């Protein structure tokens, strides 16, 4: 493996760097342009400086080496930003494991309904099977877990398709139930169908829409 080039501070003098690269002959050209330190180069920007350096016709790849050392910090920052963006897309959302999420869900909680402990299980099941739609009989507390799981499935699929555009995983999400002869029409994005007549005295189903809106689901 190759050792990465040293990271130079922006206070580094251009004169000294050129001498280290056995290119002291070009010191006057840089100083005439107002480039005395790496900070001066950064102030003008990599594109402008690259054009200037290439116009000097420095020998033996010295120009490439000089630019690599002068702007290594910028390249590293770009790589770090790209890595952070990738992490943001791939990192699993907090969802039902987040205290704020659970507090937002609190209005739907009711001891009388008896299904409250099923929420995390249903979330995990939907995330494992990865359907794009689901049918729930009786809405309420568990509905938010199903909505979040479906949303996270779509988020995961979107990233996967972006990452693998050439041969996107067309059948990666479950779209056809076992025994179906033809695929059902796909809705845009994920979809949870809930059936509830609000007949139960302690039902929290009427609050579901409001809570889902707060959770941005």
């Amino acid at each position: 493996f190759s050792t990465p080039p040293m990271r130079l501070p922006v206070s580094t003098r251009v004169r000294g760097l050129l001498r280290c690269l056995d290119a002291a002959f070009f010191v006057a050209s840089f100083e005439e342009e107002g480039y005395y330190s790496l900070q001066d180069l950064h102030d003008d920007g990599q594109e402008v400086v690259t054009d200037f350096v290439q116009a000097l016709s420095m020998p033996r790849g010295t120009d490439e080496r000089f630019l690599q050392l002068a702007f290594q910090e910028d390249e590293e920052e770009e790589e770090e930003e790209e890595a952070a963006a990738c992490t943001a897309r791939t990192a699993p959302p907090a969802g039902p494991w987040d205290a704020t999420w659970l507090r937002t869900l609190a209005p739907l909680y009711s001891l009388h309904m008896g299904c409250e402990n099923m929420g995390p299980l249903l979330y995990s099941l939907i995330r494992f099977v990865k359907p794009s739609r689901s049918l729930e009989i009786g809405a309420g507390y568990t509905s938010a877990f199903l909505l979040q799981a479906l949303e996270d499935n779509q988020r995961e699929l979107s990233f996967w398709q972006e990452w693998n555009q050439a041969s996107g995983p067309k059948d990666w999400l479950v779209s056809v139930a076992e025994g179906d002869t033809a695929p059902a029409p796909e809705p845009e994005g994920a979809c949870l169908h809930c059936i509830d007549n609000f007949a139960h005295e302690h039902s929290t189903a009427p609050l579901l829409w409001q809570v889902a809106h707060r959770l941005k689901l």
Side-chain angles (χ1 to χ4, degrees):
F1 62 91
S2 58
T3 303
M6 68 183 78
R7 184 170 182 172
L8 300 175
V10 292
S11 59
T12 300
R13 306 299 292 178
V14 170
R15 175 186 293 264
L17 179 55
L18 288 170
R19 286 176 175 169
C20 289
L21 296 173
D22 196 22
F25 174 81
F26 296 94
V27 168
S29 299
F30 276 85
E31 293 185 350
E32 285 175 7
E33 197 69 19
Y35 298 142
Y36 294 93
S37 69
L38 296 191
Q39 183 63 62
D40 297 327
L41 301 176
H42 286 224
D43 289 344
D44 259 7
Q46 186 168 356
E47 185 176 351
V48 173
V49 174
T50 298
D51 290 341
F52 167 73
V53 171
Q54 290 177 344
L56 296 176
S57 300
M58 300 171 78
R60 301 188 303 278
T62 303
D63 52 351
E64 294 179 4
R65 179 65 172 163
F66 176 86
L67 291 168
Q68 183 183 24
L69 290 168
F71 289 98
Q72 184 187 3
E73 182 176 351
D74 291 352
E75 292 173 357
E76 289 180 353
E77 288 177 356
E78 289 177 3
E79 290 174 0
E80 289 172 1
E81 289 175 1
E82 185 178 348
C86 181
T87 300
R89 293 195 302 271
T90 57
W97 324 123
D98 178 65
T100 302
W101 192 92
L102 290 171
R103 282 195 297 271
T104 305
L105 191 62
L108 297 180
Y109 182 76
S110 174
L111 285 173
H112 301 279
M113 302 308 296
C115 295
E116 286 64 38
N117 293 323
M118 290 293 292
L121 174 62
L122 292 173
Y123 173 87
S124 299
L125 180 63
I126 294 294
R127 293 290 284 128
F128 179 75
V129 179
K130 300 193 185 304
S132 58
R133 56 187 178 272
S134 179
L135 171 64
E136 183 181 31
I137 309 298
Y141 188 77
T142 54
S143 304
F145 287 86
L146 295 173
L147 284 169
Q148 186 67 62
L150 290 167
E151 173 71 17
D152 294 347
N153 282 351
Q154 289 296 314
R155 176 179 177 273
E156 194 172 58
L157 176 61
S158 296
F159 169 74
W160 182 261
Q161 289 177 331
E162 178 184 340
W163 179 70
N164 190 22
Q165 291 180 0
S167 57
K170 298 177 182 178
D171 300 323
W172 191 59
L173 289 187
V174 175
S175 59
V176 184
E178 186 176 353
D180 283 355
T181 57
E186 282 286 352
E188 264 189 35
C191 182
L192 174 64
H193 300 277
C194 290
I195 299 176
D196 197 305
N197 61 3
F198 303 161
H200 196 287
E201 180 183 358
H202 301 286
S203 173
T204 59
L207 301 174
L208 176 59
W209 179 266
Q210 182 180 7
V211 171
H213 180 71
R214 290 177 183 172
L215 293 172
K216 299 181 179 179
L217 297 173

